[in-house]
Amino acid sequence: MIWSLCLIFCLSNSMLVIASPAKHHLCLPDQRDALWEFKNEFFVQEFDPSIFGTRTEKWRNNTDCCTWDGISCDPKTGKVVGLYLMLSGLNGPLGFNSSLFRLQHLQFLDLTSNNLSGILPVSIGNLKYLMELRLGGCHLFGKIPSSLGNLTYLTNLDLAVSDFTGELPDSIGRLNKLTRVASSISHTQWEIS
Ligand SMILES: *[C@@H]1O[C@H](CO)[C@@H](O)[C@H](O)[C@H]1NC(C)=O
Ligand SMILES: *[C@@H]1O[C@H](CO)[C@@H](O)[C@H](O)[C@H]1NC(C)=O
Ligand SMILES: *[C@@H]1O[C@H](CO)[C@@H](O)[C@H](O)[C@H]1NC(C)=O
Ligand SMILES: *[C@@H]1O[C@H](CO)[C@@H](O)[C@H](O)[C@H]1NC(C)=O
């Protein structure tokens, strides 16, 4: 009798252990969904497979998004703080309401060398904790939004090899942590001290 009780108890315990990993994802569900939707906003086509970078196709929506290629999370809160998707073959414009802008805790965003071929939406200014923003070689065009001046933690800004027109907005001059800027257009409006 005691043995069979123990057996039932031990069995149910080990089943709990087996079942629990799925419940212990570090990643927060809203962050995972935003990443998943973001990936689906683009048509993925490798430009040159030999130099292919981060692969969003390896992401699996039933796994912890903090383990996905190109993602880093705050180890305590599970918030996505880094998105490193350089050379990922992402094709398509970055929409004003892209799911990217729901990743409100991003500190590092690297989309270098993808084909975003559109404007840089003003909503980029909503990612207010960004410290590094790398959008070089993304075929972005149009004006650089002045909302970049809202990114007060920004230290690195890379907008090189782009088709932007006009000048860097004056608002960028407010960014007193900014130490590195790479851009195809003139810096004449302001200086980095
Ligand atoms: C999760 O991914 C699978 C295939 O990878 C897909 O069939 C399913 O619809 C996805 N679920 C959600 C919620 O996106
Ligand atoms: C953005 O908004 C438009 C309508 O304004 C909607 O059709 C589209 O699905 C939205 N996209 C995302 C990624 O939420
Ligand atoms: C980039 O995207 C544009 C528009 O979607 C397309 O016309 C062009 O062929 C793409 N370039 C590359 C290198 O894939
Ligand atoms: C962000 O920047 C835009 C344009 O510079 C400005 O109109 C807006 O008030 C700013 N928002 C915040 C929250 O600072």
Side-chain angles (χ1 to χ4, degrees):
M1 179 61 184
I2 287 167
W3 279 111
S4 58
L5 269 180
C6 174
L7 192 66
I8 289 164
F9 181 74
C10 296
L11 269 180
S12 60
N13 242 7
S14 58
M15 275 161 71
L16 276 178
V17 169
I18 291 163
S20 58
K23 292 190 183 121
H24 285 289
H25 286 181
L26 177 59
C27 187
L28 303 172
D30 70 302
Q31 307 273 287
R32 179 203 56 209
D33 293 349
L35 282 169
W36 192 256
E37 286 166 34
F38 173 69
K39 151 186 128 74
N40 288 334
E41 286 167 27
F42 301 95
F43 165 66
V44 176
Q45 187 177 53
E46 36 196 291
F47 183 64
D48 176 351
S50 65
I51 54 163
F52 207 77
T54 317
R55 292 162 194 267
T56 55
E57 298 96 279
K58 289 200 295 194
W59 294 2
R60 293 288 170 265
N61 61 8
N62 56 353
T63 59
D64 187 346
C65 82
C66 295
T67 66
W68 293 355
D69 215 13
I71 308 301
S72 77
C73 293
D74 181 305
K76 289 201 183 79
T77 64
K79 290 165 180 167
V80 174
V81 293
L83 186 54
Y84 306 91
L85 296 177
M86 61 185 301
L87 278 165
S88 297
L90 304 179
N91 281 266
L94 198 53
F96 176 82
N97 59 353
S98 167
S99 306
L100 175 68
F101 304 117
R102 282 160 40 205
L103 298 168
Q104 283 287 315
H105 309 281
L106 276 182
Q107 296 171 13
F108 305 94
L109 176 58
D110 189 348
L111 297 175
T112 302
S113 298
N114 288 283
N115 186 14
L116 304 183
S117 59
I119 64 152
L120 178 59
V122 294
S123 10
I124 194 73
N126 299 345
L127 298 177
K128 59 178 181 231
Y129 297 114
L130 277 182
M131 294 162 68
E132 291 191 14
L133 177 58
R134 299 185 187 277
L135 299 171
C138 282
H139 306 283
L140 292 167
F141 55 75
K143 288 184 67 178
I144 297 176
S146 66
S147 61
L148 281 182
N150 293 350
L151 303 177
T152 51
Y153 296 101
L154 208 59
T155 59
N156 274 276
L157 176 63
D158 181 359
L159 301 173
V161 202
S162 305
D163 303 315
F164 288 116
T165 48
E167 280 156 347
L168 286 167
D170 290 346
S171 61
I172 291 182
R174 297 200 299 253
L175 301 177
N176 54 22
K177 293 200 169 70
L178 198 58
T179 53
R180 284 176 55 106
V181 177
S183 146
S184 314
I185 61 179
S186 81
H187 291 184
T188 53
Q189 292 295 295
W190 54 282
E191 283 182 354
I192 300 171
S193 47

